[in-house]
Amino acid sequence: MRYLPQTQNARKAMLDAIGVASVDDLFVDVPAKARMKGAVDLPPHMGELAVERALSAYANQNRAAGAGPFFLGAGCYYHHVPASVDYIIQRSEFLTAYTPYQPEIAQGTLTAIFEFQTFIAQLTGQDIANASMYDGATSCTEAALMAMRLTGRGRVIVGNDLHPHYWDVLKSGVRGCEQKTFKTITDDESDVACIIVQCPDFLGQPVQYADWRALCDRLGAKLVVVINEIVSLGLLPAPSMADIVCGEAQSIGLAMGFGGPHLGFFACRTEYVRQMPGRLVGETVDADGKRAFVLTLNTREQHIRREKATSNICTNQGLCALAFTVHMGLLGEGGFKQLARINHERAGMLADALAKVPGVKVVNETFFNEFVVELSKPSAGVVDQLAAKGIIAGLALDGNRLLVAATEMTEASDIDAFCNALAEVLK
């Protein structure tokens, strides 16, 4: 954002133009008791150079993923983004494009969104996908709400370890959420709208869908599969037997960005399309019979009667979806599968190395690129000590457990540095 300070002369000229003596005159209609008295408790204004220095000092307190060994995942993953992705999405026709309401002047944007939908449908094994959601957490909540509309039921069961941020959003948007294990869900629970299963789960454990599908069929409930690490779909089976598949696509085309912006995705079966949230781009032909794209469905309250809307999410992550689409186009099917294999191989290297460190036990029997280890000391303190050594060790869980991840960005030298430093800390 450009820094555009106003001089006193410029402010006086603007006030003169509208016929008031001071900025305070603009607030005369606000009751005095509602106005703040005195100065705001903030630093005084500064010149551009001083602002740059102050903000740089704040930024330098962060440690970027590329600054050293990095093993933190937990829903936001450190992957390589080709330079060509940023080049394309920063072209003005994409960067400044508005919602493509007028298809006659927005075929480029609509085509890109259609390709994004196609990629997501192919990856998830579903019939259709929408134009994207805010992030994985809101996608998960929308999936639960959609299942409730489809079934007319009010209970939502989370069947395994769901990302805690997803849990927070889900509980804020849906009443009647609860967590149960597969063995504690009984066949007489006829009021269940859906069962939500994350794969791999928050602790890195992959899921086999067949038993969950059979359970949902017995209950008459919908099976919702959440994918937090979309690269896993290059190696693990597509959740084609699910009713709804949703999650986070940040790993392809998007930097971690200290938490965002990220890219939610949402896919389902064709028969549920009119209950799907967000917007959908479809293919048609123009007046000359040529292939063209339009906004096919907009089942949101901005476009239709509020009581008929399926969601109050009023946008899609257009630029982020474009970044994903460009990166996927560069990878192709073979490249995407190779990327997934490399991720799993690096995680395997990490697990093998950590298992040799005294005081470390690898908990997971299976994983994709993320897993839990048990340490001989509380994990929170270990993480802090390693951070002081320039190593981001992962996410400290309760007690002595530590969640670690490895991607194609993880080098053998990173693993060696991590294991050596961890051995020192655990002595």
Side-chain angles (χ1 to χ4, degrees):
M1 183 179 293
R2 292 182 177 86
Y3 182 70
L4 300 173
Q6 297 294 340
T7 65
Q8 289 295 335
N9 289 338
R11 291 185 181 187
K12 185 177 184 305
M14 288 187 283
L15 292 171
D16 289 344
I18 60 175
V20 296
S22 69
V23 172
D24 291 337
D25 292 344
L26 300 175
F27 298 93
V28 293
D29 293 327
V30 178
K33 63 181 180 180
R35 289 185 243 166
M36 180 179 290
K37 295 180 175 62
V40 178
D41 185 20
L42 291 172
H45 70 276
M46 296 182 284
E48 182 175 357
L49 178 59
V51 169
E52 288 179 356
R53 286 174 175 165
L55 295 181
S56 295
Y58 285 128
N60 290 336
Q61 295 177 35
N62 291 318
R63 182 172 179 83
F70 189 87
F71 300 93
L72 179 60
C76 184
Y77 298 94
Y78 180 37
H79 290 286
H80 176 255
V81 179
S84 50
V85 172
D86 282 340
Y87 174 79
I88 292 173
I89 68 172
Q90 290 183 46
R91 289 181 60 93
S92 61
E93 56 264 57
F94 288 123
L95 187 63
T96 64
Y98 188 60
T99 304
Y101 293 131
Q102 297 174 270
E104 64 275 14
I105 61 171
Q107 283 301 294
T109 297
L110 289 165
T111 302
I113 295 174
F114 185 84
E115 294 300 329
F116 168 78
Q117 295 173 175
T118 303
F119 278 133
I120 294 298
Q122 290 175 334
L123 288 172
T124 59
Q126 296 294 302
D127 299 328
I128 54 173
N130 72 8
S132 74
M133 307 292 283
Y134 290 136
D135 52 29
T138 49
S139 296
C140 176
T141 300
E142 288 289 346
L145 293 169
M146 176 173 162
M148 293 167 72
R149 292 193 299 272
L150 289 169
T151 61
R153 300 174 179 179
R155 281 181 65 207
V156 173
I157 292 178
V158 175
N160 65 352
D161 289 300
L162 183 67
H163 193 296
H165 294 172
Y166 290 34
W167 245 121
D168 289 342
V169 176
L170 182 64
K171 288 184 290 187
S172 71
V174 179
R175 295 180 180 177
C177 300
E178 57 186 297
Q179 185 162 20
K180 287 192 170 186
T181 63
F182 183 86
K183 293 181 179 179
T184 60
I185 302 174
T186 61
D187 287 352
D188 60 354
E189 300 191 60
S190 58
D191 58 344
V192 177
C194 68
I195 298 177
I196 299 174
V197 178
Q198 180 175 323
C199 181
D201 68 16
F202 181 65
L203 303 179
Q205 184 79 23
V207 173
Q208 293 185 352
Y209 302 116
D211 289 342
W212 290 106
R213 177 71 271 170
L215 175 59
C216 286
D217 289 343
R218 293 198 301 271
L219 297 177
K222 304 303 179 185
L223 175 58
V224 175
V225 172
V226 174
I227 306 293
N228 202 194
E229 165 59 294
I230 199 167
V231 175
S232 67
L233 293 177
L235 190 62
L236 300 177
S240 55
M241 62 180 66
D243 296 295
I244 304 170
V245 182
C246 58
E248 178 59 59
Q250 169 268 327
S251 291
I252 299 296
L254 296 170
M256 300 176 76
F258 299 103
H262 289 168
L263 175 63
F265 67 87
F266 195 104
C268 66
R269 299 181 180 183
T270 302
E271 58 262 38
Y272 306 145
V273 63
R274 290 200 173 272
Q275 289 298 328
M276 186 170 64
R279 60 168 65 117
L280 184 72
V281 172
E283 180 181 346
T284 184
V285 293
D286 63 13
D288 298 322
K290 296 179 181 179
R291 187 186 191 209
F293 300 95
V294 295
L295 286 177
T296 304
L297 287 177
N298 289 283
T299 52
R300 59 187 189 146
E301 62 186 35
Q302 181 177 330
H303 285 147
I304 62 178
R305 285 179 295 175
R306 189 170 190 172
E307 63 273 16
K308 297 291 185 179
T310 62
S311 172
N312 65 358
I313 289 183
C314 294
T315 187
N316 66 291
Q317 296 284 64
L319 200 64
C320 296
L322 175 63
F324 174 95
T325 304
V326 174
H327 195 177
M328 279 297 295
L330 292 169
L331 286 170
E333 181 180 354
F336 184 70
K337 290 180 177 179
Q338 182 182 6
L339 176 63
R341 285 194 297 270
I342 293 171
N343 271 251
H344 182 57
E345 289 169 2
R346 300 291 167 86
M349 291 169 53
L350 177 62
D352 290 343
L354 286 172
K356 297 175 183 178
V357 177
V360 178
K361 177 186 176 182
V362 176
V363 176
N364 292 52
E365 293 183 1
T366 58
F367 54 83
F368 170 61
N369 69 350
E370 192 166 25
F371 55 90
V372 175
V373 294
E374 185 87 22
L375 307 179
S376 58
K377 292 182 178 181
S379 56
V382 171
V383 167
D384 290 341
Q385 288 179 270
L386 290 174
K389 296 176 179 289
I391 297 171
I392 305 300
L395 180 69
L397 303 175
D398 57 293
N400 292 13
R401 297 191 306 161
L402 178 68
L403 182 65
V404 296
T407 71
E408 75 280 4
M409 304 298 285
T410 306
E411 299 290 343
S413 58
D414 297 327
I415 296 175
D416 290 341
F418 180 26
C419 291
N420 291 335
L422 184 58
E424 287 291 324
V425 170
L426 293 178
K427 281 183 179 178

